[in-house]
Amino acid sequence: MNKLSLSAAISVLLASAFSAQATTYLSAKAMLDVNNGKLINAPLIQIDEGIITKISEGAAPQLQTGDQHIELPELTLVPGLMDMHVHLTSDPTVPRSERIGQSVPRKAIKAAYFAEKTLMAGFTTLRNVGAEGYSVIAVRDGINAGDIVGPRIWAAGPSLGVTGGHCDNNRLPPEMKYTAEGVANGPWAVREKVRENIKYGANVIKFCATGGVFSKGTKVGIQQYSQDEMNAIVDEAHMRGLTVAAHAHGTSGIKAAIVAGVDSVEHVSFVDDEAIKLAKKHGTWFSMDIYNTEYTLTYGEQNGVAEENLAKERQVSKKQRDSFSRAVKAGVNMVFGTDAAIYPHGDNAKQFSRMVEFGMTPLQAIQAATINGAKLLKVENQLGQIKTGFAADIIAVKGNPLQDISLLENVEFVMKAGTKYK
């Protein structure tokens, strides 16, 4: 090797070494410890390869060649937020009659757009609980590959449901013989559908235990899947290492889902004392979307929502908020889940103030969207806190969110895995 070649090789090796060792330092006015609600003043966070490697207080970074120091002297750091119930393919401003005509590729493009929008709102982790054609799984994989920008996503495939139920499509005439791709009836058929979801990349399973607000011809509180069918869904998913979410508004469906062993119940509109006791006994998480009713009842008609669905929303809204208050008071496990798609993506944080209004402390509401979401996803040793050894998923707001929870609606800084996005 001649001297010129040797010199070039050494330069490449040195550049690679500096690149591999480059560290990001993040400093701010304060940092929220979501475990105990304490504010840490003047934090300095060291980040290497997307992981938090050291946290100091009142220190200055010792910068080496290639290192980066991000200074946020007026902001408070908070762990990246987690929304455990979204539908990225759906746009509330598009009437459902028009959505029927949208192709799966079109929905995937919508999902990619809404994923980035949600990340910029401070949500670094999402659970997408149902989408057609494995579209959000494709978006998740595109994000993970670096093709597009978005949060970490746990994605279900098509939601499982009974024929004619909430997770079927009842808006087309019988001569079209259309059945939603998640429909399965009977214990062995639902097991097969779980296996199909897993085959095509789902890393969470979602099924509809009861009727719903936005489906046609279903009674919102009526149980749909039988206990045997729910047991089979959960057993199959858990055997394969996946968590399970159950859409359930009605009391009997909520109880049956809990008894089946689901990891979370979504919506939880009509609870009674027995349902709450069962949830506490089984350690079931409740994911209750108590903000979106305001959007639906204000804008639903102009967005083309049918009167049948608006009437069901009016039936559910106050009951669900009362159930939320009862569950919080009883100490049920709670996560932050909004059903974004019923209202505009990116407005997810508007639910925080409602959670406080209806019974939570600000710290409990933030914990629901950080450490609790991580526990539900079984990644509590990797996500949900600003802590050494955890992924550097960090947001920042101007002020103390424990004093004013609405500050989370205006996130000024977003980092995921050590990369600054906003």
Side-chain angles (χ1 to χ4, degrees):
M1 180 180 292
N2 59 41
K3 289 184 179 180
L4 185 59
S5 299
L6 179 61
S7 176
I10 291 172
S11 297
V12 169
L13 287 171
L14 287 173
S16 299
F18 282 129
S19 176
Q21 296 171 7
T23 294
T24 297
Y25 292 92
L26 176 62
S27 60
K29 180 180 181 180
M31 180 186 87
L32 177 62
D33 184 331
V34 293
N35 273 305
N36 54 30
K38 292 182 178 178
L39 281 184
I40 297 170
N41 293 318
L44 178 68
I45 300 170
Q46 181 176 324
I47 301 163
D48 294 285
E49 298 183 351
I51 302 297
I52 299 169
T53 51
K54 185 178 180 180
I55 300 175
S56 308
E57 189 172 350
Q62 302 298 312
L63 297 175
Q64 304 295 321
T65 302
D67 290 351
Q68 179 186 22
H69 182 200
I70 301 171
E71 299 178 80
L72 306 172
E74 298 183 354
L75 302 184
T76 300
L77 305 180
V78 178
L81 302 173
M82 301 181 171
D83 191 335
M84 294 293 99
H85 191 124
V86 304
H87 296 280
L88 290 172
T89 53
S90 295
D91 183 343
T93 66
V94 177
R96 288 172 185 267
S97 57
E98 291 184 27
R99 293 186 216 171
I100 291 174
Q102 289 182 344
S103 67
V104 169
R106 180 71 183 94
K107 290 177 180 180
I109 290 170
K110 278 274 192 184
Y113 170 73
F114 288 137
E116 182 173 2
K117 189 172 184 180
T118 307
L119 175 65
M120 297 309 171
F123 287 81
T124 55
T125 300
L126 301 179
R127 192 176 59 155
N128 197 89
V129 282
E132 303 88 343
Y134 303 93
S135 48
V136 174
I137 290 170
V139 171
R140 177 202 67 196
D141 292 349
I143 292 168
N144 292 346
D147 300 332
I148 54 177
V149 170
R152 304 173 189 275
I153 297 178
W154 270 254
S159 298
L160 276 67
V162 301
T163 297
H166 180 64
C167 287
D168 198 357
N169 186 335
N170 304 327
R171 299 178 186 277
L172 297 171
E175 57 266 27
M176 295 190 71
K177 301 186 185 303
Y178 180 83
T179 298
E181 58 193 323
V183 169
N185 302 287
W188 280 109
V190 298
R191 282 184 182 272
E192 182 179 9
K193 189 60 67 172
V194 170
R195 293 169 183 175
E196 184 179 284
N197 271 257
I198 295 170
K199 175 181 179 179
Y200 295 115
N203 55 353
V204 63
I205 297 297
K206 154 82 175 300
F207 72 89
C208 290
T210 75
V213 170
F214 283 89
S215 50
K216 179 182 179 182
T218 71
K219 296 180 179 179
V220 70
I222 299 300
Q223 183 174 335
Q224 294 182 347
Y225 268 129
S226 69
Q227 188 69 65
D228 286 346
E229 289 169 315
M230 294 190 207
N231 292 349
I233 293 169
V234 175
D235 180 64
E236 188 68 37
H238 283 178
M239 183 170 64
R240 300 290 294 277
L242 275 67
T243 56
V244 184
H247 159 109
H249 285 283
T251 311
S252 65
I254 293 167
K255 294 176 186 177
I258 294 171
V259 169
V262 297
D263 299 277
S264 68
V265 183
E266 313 301 304
H267 310 301
V268 207
S269 297
F270 305 109
V271 295
D272 60 11
D273 291 341
E274 183 184 8
I276 287 175
K277 288 179 182 177
L278 281 170
K280 292 188 71 175
K281 176 183 176 182
H282 289 264
T284 311
W285 296 92
F286 280 2
S287 171
M288 303 178 71
D289 48 322
I290 59 169
Y291 164 70
N292 62 33
T293 184
E294 297 168 34
Y295 181 87
T296 297
L297 295 180
T298 302
Y299 299 104
E301 185 176 358
Q302 74 182 53
N303 287 343
V305 177
E307 176 55 33
E308 173 193 355
N309 307 116
L310 293 174
K312 287 195 282 187
E313 183 61 57
R314 288 189 285 268
Q315 174 193 354
V316 164
S317 56
K318 185 178 185 306
K319 289 286 188 181
Q320 187 189 37
R321 287 175 164 186
D322 290 344
S323 294
F324 178 86
S325 298
R326 290 177 65 187
V328 171
K329 187 175 181 179
V332 174
N333 290 336
M334 305 285 282
V335 293
F336 184 97
T338 64
D339 211 359
I342 302 302
Y343 69 93
H345 295 280
D347 286 352
N348 310 58
K350 289 184 177 180
Q351 181 164 287
F352 282 112
S353 63
R354 278 49 171 196
M355 294 170 82
V356 171
E357 179 181 353
F358 293 102
M360 282 189 170
T361 66
L363 179 59
Q364 285 176 317
I366 294 171
Q367 288 173 333
T370 52
I371 55 176
N372 290 3
K375 288 176 182 176
L376 170 58
L377 297 174
K378 302 187 186 304
V379 289
E380 64 269 31
N381 294 321
Q382 305 168 46
L383 304 176
Q385 301 180 57
I386 302 174
K387 185 176 179 179
T388 301
F390 280 54
D393 292 3
I394 302 169
I395 65 170
V397 295
K398 193 169 185 176
N400 182 354
L402 297 181
Q403 295 177 349
D404 182 1
I405 196 74
S406 68
L407 293 175
L408 293 172
E409 298 173 22
N410 296 289
V411 170
E412 300 197 22
F413 172 86
V414 176
M415 171 181 280
K416 188 192 83 172
T419 298
K420 181 178 72 172
Y421 290 95
K422 181 178 181 181

